[in-house]
Amino acid sequence: MSYVIEVLRQEHCNIEKLLRVLERELSVFDRGDRPDYEVVLAVINYFKEYPDSCHHPKEDMIVEKLKARDPVRAATVGDLETEHREGAKRLRQVALAVERVLSDQDLLRQTVDDIVRDFISHERQHMAMEERIVFPAARGVAARGLGRYRCKTG
Ligand SMILES: [Fe+2]
Ligand SMILES: [Fe+2]
């Protein structure tokens, strides 16, 4: 497996760890206790910054290479750009819900739970789809020459 895909898979593992942290804090919230909001906000900030500056650009690059080298196969991998945009929208809903909870605005506990769970489950579905469809398509075809990619944030 090429280096860049191995890095992307490792990043998915890191993302999954953070989703579990968020899930754990959500279960604290669900049972009526106070989650560690410092942790929740740190996870939200990670998702605001990291994927767009470091993870998604590498995925865009492998898909672009795949399109150039094997357009037929590339057509099977779906629209990552749109999915990433929708993920960012869901994250904004999460950030807004947490902001409202922290400023004591009226919001049903169930509504907050639905918004956060929706974000978590779509992130998981998206990563699973990439690992099932996008990465295998890109492996060996699109990933050569991407090993020198560096994140914008370093
Ligand atoms: Fe992605
Ligand atoms: Fe990904």
Side-chain angles (χ1 to χ4, degrees):
M1 182 178 292
S2 83
Y3 174 71
V4 73
I5 292 176
E6 191 48 53
V7 171
L8 285 166
R9 287 173 65 93
Q10 188 52 52
E11 289 173 358
H12 280 186
C13 290
N14 296 337
I15 289 169
E16 173 56 30
K17 280 181 198 156
L18 288 175
L19 292 175
R20 279 190 213 153
V21 169
L22 192 58
E23 210 165 38
R24 191 187 63 212
E25 295 303 326
L26 185 63
S27 66
V28 174
F29 176 82
D30 284 344
R31 64 171 186 256
D33 291 333
R34 185 179 171 84
D36 187 336
Y37 282 109
E38 221 172 292
V39 167
V40 172
L41 292 172
V43 171
I44 290 172
N45 279 336
Y46 172 90
F47 278 103
K48 274 184 187 167
E49 296 288 326
Y50 187 78
D52 273 347
S53 66
C54 194
H55 185 72
H56 297 158
K58 288 199 284 288
E59 291 177 340
D60 293 340
M61 284 167 77
I62 64 171
V63 169
E64 282 311 307
K65 286 232 170 204
L66 181 62
K67 276 182 191 161
R69 293 181 186 177
D70 190 346
V72 176
R73 188 114 198 240
T76 66
V77 304
D79 185 353
L80 286 197
E81 219 179 301
T82 300
E83 288 209 13
H84 292 159
R85 234 185 354 256
E86 284 168 359
K89 250 189 244 168
R90 283 189 199 94
L91 178 69
R92 280 197 291 278
Q93 295 301 311
V94 170
L96 205 62
V98 171
E99 217 178 282
R100 288 179 67 181
V101 170
L102 285 173
S103 58
D104 287 327
Q105 291 178 44
D106 246 6
L107 196 56
L108 288 175
R109 194 169 289 277
Q110 187 60 52
T111 306
V112 177
D113 181 84
D114 288 346
I115 290 170
V116 179
R117 280 196 197 284
D118 185 57
F119 171 74
I120 293 171
S121 76
H122 276 92
E123 284 299 302
R124 284 183 174 146
Q125 279 169 36
H126 175 75
M127 290 192 293
M129 178 281 290
E130 289 176 337
E131 295 194 16
R132 201 178 58 247
I133 298 168
V134 182
F135 296 172
R139 190 190 301 139
V141 177
R144 266 176 253 122
L146 292 171
R148 285 190 298 274
Y149 180 81
R150 291 287 176 271
C151 302
K152 282 184 216 155
T153 53

